[in-house]
Amino acid sequence: MKRWIGALIATALACIPILFARVSSQSLFLDTDTKFILLGIRSKNSPFGWFFSDWPLGNHFYRPVSTLSFELDNRLFHDSAAGYGLTNALLCVACVFLLLWLLREITDNPLVSGLGAALFALQSSGHSDVLLIPLEWAAIAIAILGAMRHGLRVLRWLPAPLVLWYSIQETAGGASLAGGTIGWLPGRTATVMTVFTLASMAAYARYERTSAIRAVRPITAVDLPATRTSIAKKAAGPFVWLWGAVSVLCAALAFGAYEQAVMLPAELLAVAITMKFSGFRVRWGWQAAFWSLLVGYLAVRHAVIPAGVSSYQAQQYRHGPGVWLSLLDYAFPALNTISGFIATLDQGWFLVMNSGFYLFFVGLGSNITAFYQARRRWVWALAGYGMSFIAFLPMAWVKQFPHYSYWPLAMRSLFTVTLFLVAGELTVSAWSPPSRQAPKRLDPAPGSLPRL
């Protein structure tokens, strides 16, 4: 437990800006959606009736669990906006600590877990920009010192600043999360869902980590011997299966919070695959429970929600280039800049006087380099990258709101922090002295026995 104290402290400190970002003014109630939600729950006055009907806005969404959070606030705070705003902030804080738990179970690495949770906390509060300038200067310093050390041998030093530069762009994501979650009451549908999705994923990962058989790797000459601080795997207790049950229960609650949770079974499958490649012999039978839960949710939704598409849904659905642009933001962001770059080519030679000309190639090069160098820690990088894309996938086909990216960016933090680690490893190589060829060995070597 001692080795996790630093991660817990870093996460707690990073959550302080979330609490300071909470909204206490009555302006929280001025939003039209908020007015109708409160009007609906007060007129119906039946908290558990939402499990058998459309939610208060009546736009064909099944969100009884999220609606219960409004019911609770209505009874605790009624017309005091400060209480509602505090609930919004506390939900975000809960998501940050649940992400720390999930990353702990997936990676068992305090540095990665603490940095990932702290990064997501800063993104949630809208303060991740405080990292940008120091990191940009760090990338420039790495490039300058690397060039001084290795000169024209660019492959020795260029990958480090490029990977760091791409990590900076990932860090800048989520600038509008705070306004869409902390500062907007209906945005809590996403945060309530994320509480239960992260809890479900973490509980399942905990189940596998504490009870699955580890694949035995042959001991080699370079393996470190066991020491006083080595951690031995404990035998699984008789009630370890309860972690799987908690995962199923949290998944059911997530389905009742927000429609984006339909991607949770795929995320849980991704967790299982990640644990598999981390050396655990996972039990695949639990996946049947998760996917059966999805089928049950769809059946309940079909029975409760009126048939057809509501006017709100018809208004929000979209098709065309916007969908692919949103997907590329998660899949390969640099491709979204190509069309804008082509549009500037009509400037002729004046284009070289525009900083955007050079930033385009830096962005494209950093994207390609980061994806290639991520192979150094490919299990964590692929897990964070893949799970963030999966979580966002269904939201690409609707007009964008900031809270759509809340759960995806929580998953993305693992990818971003992994790239920071890769950039650090590359920096060591970039700043190391150039390799020197050892002198050729004399034949025969001095002092060797004469050959007969």
Side-chain angles (χ1 to χ4, degrees):
M1 181 62 186
K2 290 182 179 179
R3 67 190 187 112
W4 291 95
I5 293 178
L8 286 169
I9 293 175
T11 302
L13 292 175
C15 286
I16 293 176
I18 296 178
L19 297 176
F20 280 116
R22 73 184 188 277
V23 180
S24 301
S25 69
Q26 294 297 114
S27 61
L28 273 178
F29 293 148
L30 298 180
D31 176 74
T32 305
D33 286 355
T34 302
K35 289 181 179 179
F36 275 96
I37 291 173
L38 295 179
L39 178 63
I41 63 177
R42 289 170 181 175
S43 60
K44 188 171 184 175
N45 195 27
S46 176
F48 295 101
W50 301 112
F51 285 90
F52 310 100
S53 67
D54 203 337
W55 87 310
L57 290 182
N59 46 14
H60 294 196
F61 289 127
Y62 186 67
R63 301 172 179 177
V65 176
S66 294
T67 307
L68 284 179
S69 72
F70 287 102
E71 289 274 7
L72 180 61
D73 277 2
N74 179 56
R75 279 159 172 73
L76 291 177
F77 311 114
H78 198 61
D79 288 330
S80 174
Y84 291 79
L86 179 61
T87 301
N88 269 18
L90 291 178
L91 285 170
C92 292
V93 170
C95 289
V96 172
F97 277 96
L98 286 168
L99 176 63
L100 175 66
W101 179 26
L102 173 60
L103 295 181
R104 180 263 179 272
E105 301 301 341
I106 290 179
T107 69
D108 196 29
N109 186 302
L111 179 62
V112 172
S113 304
L115 288 179
L119 172 61
F120 181 59
L122 291 176
Q123 290 176 327
S124 298
S125 63
H127 289 87
S128 61
D129 56 339
V130 301
L131 303 174
L132 301 185
I133 294 180
L135 290 174
E136 288 172 356
W137 279 107
I140 294 172
I142 293 171
I144 293 175
L145 294 179
M148 292 172 61
R149 176 75 79 176
H150 298 286
L152 295 178
R153 290 175 292 185
V154 296
L155 293 181
R156 300 279 184 90
W157 59 268
L158 188 57
L162 286 179
V163 173
L164 181 57
W165 189 264
Y166 178 75
S167 303
I168 294 171
Q169 312 312 309
E170 290 285 348
T171 301
S176 59
L177 274 189
T181 54
I182 301 176
W184 189 50
L185 290 182
R188 74 166 59 171
T189 52
T191 55
V192 170
M193 176 206 69
T194 305
V195 164
F196 293 115
T197 55
L198 292 177
S200 177
M201 296 168 69
Y204 171 66
R206 180 69 179 172
Y207 165 75
E208 296 291 1
R209 176 170 292 280
T210 55
S211 61
I213 299 174
R214 291 292 298 264
V216 179
R217 182 175 59 87
I219 299 176
T220 65
V222 298
D223 286 331
L224 296 176
T227 63
R228 180 177 58 83
T229 58
S230 299
I231 301 175
K233 186 181 186 315
K234 299 179 180 179
F239 301 107
V240 70
W241 60 270
L242 287 175
W243 288 117
V246 169
S247 178
V248 172
L249 174 61
C250 290
L253 293 171
F255 284 129
Y258 196 49
E259 288 71 21
Q260 193 176 8
V262 295
M263 304 309 294
L264 182 55
E267 297 278 38
L268 289 163
L269 178 60
V271 170
I273 294 173
T274 302
M275 303 296 284
K276 172 70 175 178
F277 282 108
S278 297
F280 294 90
R281 296 179 181 175
V282 300
R283 278 64 55 88
W284 301 101
W286 284 96
Q287 300 302 318
F290 300 139
W291 289 95
S292 298
L293 196 62
L294 173 60
V295 174
Y297 159 74
L298 294 176
V300 170
R301 191 181 190 282
H302 178 74
V304 172
I305 301 301
V309 177
S310 68
S311 58
Y312 175 82
Q313 291 172 329
Q315 180 186 12
Q316 291 301 113
Y317 290 151
R318 65 173 181 169
H319 303 279
V323 174
W324 308 112
L325 292 175
S326 295
L327 291 175
L328 283 176
D329 282 339
Y330 282 87
F332 201 87
L335 292 181
N336 274 345
T337 64
I338 293 178
S339 58
F341 174 75
I342 294 175
T344 63
L345 294 179
D346 58 359
Q347 299 179 19
W349 288 107
F350 290 101
L351 183 62
V352 299
M353 302 175 63
N354 188 342
S355 61
F357 173 78
Y358 305 99
L359 289 176
F360 166 76
F361 289 103
V362 172
L364 182 61
S366 66
N367 206 155
I368 296 173
T369 304
F371 276 53
Y372 176 73
Q373 294 294 341
R375 75 190 192 283
R376 294 169 174 263
R377 295 177 178 267
W378 70 272
V379 174
W380 294 350
L382 184 59
Y385 173 83
M387 287 193 286
S388 66
F389 185 83
I390 291 171
F392 179 74
L393 186 59
M395 315 312 293
W397 276 266
V398 292
K399 295 177 182 178
Q400 297 299 288
F401 283 93
H403 62 283
Y404 293 168
S405 296
Y406 192 78
W407 183 27
L409 284 180
M411 300 294 96
R412 196 77 168 189
S413 65
L414 176 57
F415 177 61
T416 304
V417 170
T418 301
L419 290 181
F420 278 126
L421 293 185
V422 171
E425 295 171 353
L426 292 170
T427 299
V428 173
S429 300
W431 286 359
S432 298
S435 59
R436 299 178 62 182
Q437 179 65 45
K440 293 184 178 180
R441 182 177 180 180
L442 299 178
D443 189 17
S448 61
L449 296 174
R451 298 180 181 178
L452 301 178

